[in-house]
Amino acid sequence: MSDQKKSISLPLANPEKSVEAQPRTRDEGGDVLSEIAREVAENPVLLYMKGLPQQPMCGFSARAAAILASYGKPFHAVDILVDPDKRQGIKEFSSWPTIPQVYIGGEFVGGSDILMQLHESGELGKLIASVSGE
Amino acid sequence: MIEASIIVERIEAALPGARVQVQDLTGTMDHYKAVVISEHFAGKSLVARHRAIYQALAEEMKGPIHALTLEVFTPEEWDAQG
């Protein structure tokens, strides 16, 4: 009987580990930085902004959202105004003191000035295409 | 609120020899644009260049400066702009 129990407990240990490997959201017991890491990993094109694309609450956020929208590909927007912890956390996560912030393919791309510059140079189109499976 | 001259000082201290031009965009001393030309930017990504400036203004970015638009060039890039 005791041998059988051991053989059952072993395979159970592994799935637990693989769950640990994924950054947890706050709902799952993680902290805000871990939740951001999860969002960055799960969303190929991700924008942290003030307000939402339909109703931006800051000119820089509006500009970043409009640039991303111009490519006609879906992107995920997170409104940090409704989440003070995330508003602070995103600045720590990227060592970047301003919002908006754009992440593509899991990498920090920059704020609205850099986004505009990459948009004008054509590099942003290439980046977005590279994560859209084109 | 912060004087434009302080922003220039901080950036020049962090990037010796840089040419720095700061413009108050709104007349309210909290929305600025900075054009920074420095040889320290050579071979650095845009993110790295902006980070260098943000680091120089770390305290100011936490309050007095509400928005800072950045344009960053090496001297060669600046000359190529014409």
Side-chain angles (χ1 to χ4, degrees):
Chain A
M1 277 299 274
S2 67
D3 279 346
Q4 255 184 339
K5 264 187 189 169
K6 265 184 193 168
S7 71
I8 288 167
S9 74
L10 274 172
L12 280 175
N14 285 329
E16 263 176 49
K17 260 194 179 171
S18 68
V19 168
E20 280 299 316
Q22 191 172 28
R24 286 174 298 171
T25 65
R26 281 170 291 178
D27 284 345
E28 295 165 355
D31 63 14
V32 71
L33 293 180
S34 156
E35 181 168 306
I36 291 167
R38 173 83 160 265
E39 287 171 342
V40 168
E42 285 185 345
N43 296 284
V45 182
L46 175 63
L47 169 66
Y48 290 92
M49 65 181 290
K50 294 179 177 174
L52 284 169
Q54 312 86 291
Q55 196 170 7
M57 302 299 285
C58 154
F60 298 96
S61 286
R63 191 169 71 160
I67 291 171
L68 289 180
S70 74
Y71 290 89
K73 307 282 183 203
F75 64 94
H76 185 62
V78 176
D79 179 7
I80 51 79
L81 288 181
V82 299
D83 191 339
D85 286 344
K86 191 167 280 179
R87 183 178 186 170
Q88 195 51 45
I90 193 65
K91 297 176 183 179
E92 286 173 38
F93 182 81
S94 54
S95 305
W96 193 264
T98 57
I99 290 154
Q101 295 186 10
V102 176
Y103 296 78
I104 298 178
E107 299 285 338
F108 177 57
V109 171
S112 64
D113 292 336
I114 290 179
L115 199 68
M116 178 56 96
Q117 219 171 319
L118 296 178
H119 176 58
E120 288 172 347
S121 73
E123 285 173 69
L124 183 59
K126 288 179 199 160
L127 267 178
I128 290 177
S130 74
V131 298
S132 304
E134 288 173 11
Chain B
M1 298 205 299
I2 182 170
E3 293 282 348
S5 60
I6 297 176
I7 298 177
V8 174
E9 266 174 42
R10 296 273 192 278
I11 298 174
E12 284 178 346
L15 303 168
R19 283 152 66 192
V20 185
Q21 199 177 50
V22 173
Q23 185 188 350
D24 183 343
L25 292 177
T26 51
T28 52
M29 295 173 67
D30 50 15
H31 288 62
Y32 284 100
K33 174 181 171 178
V35 179
V36 183
I37 305 157
S38 169
E39 59 196 23
H40 297 275
F41 294 149
K44 300 232 174 75
S45 69
L46 287 171
V47 167
R49 295 176 186 194
H50 284 219
R51 268 205 185 110
I53 296 168
Y54 286 143
Q55 271 164 19
L57 294 164
E59 284 310 307
E60 290 77 10
M61 291 303 298
K62 288 178 188 164
I65 300 175
H66 293 176
L68 181 65
T69 293
L70 293 175
E71 290 188 13
V72 290
F73 306 93
T74 63
E76 290 73 21
E77 289 165 352
W78 178 254
D79 291 341
Q81 289 257 313

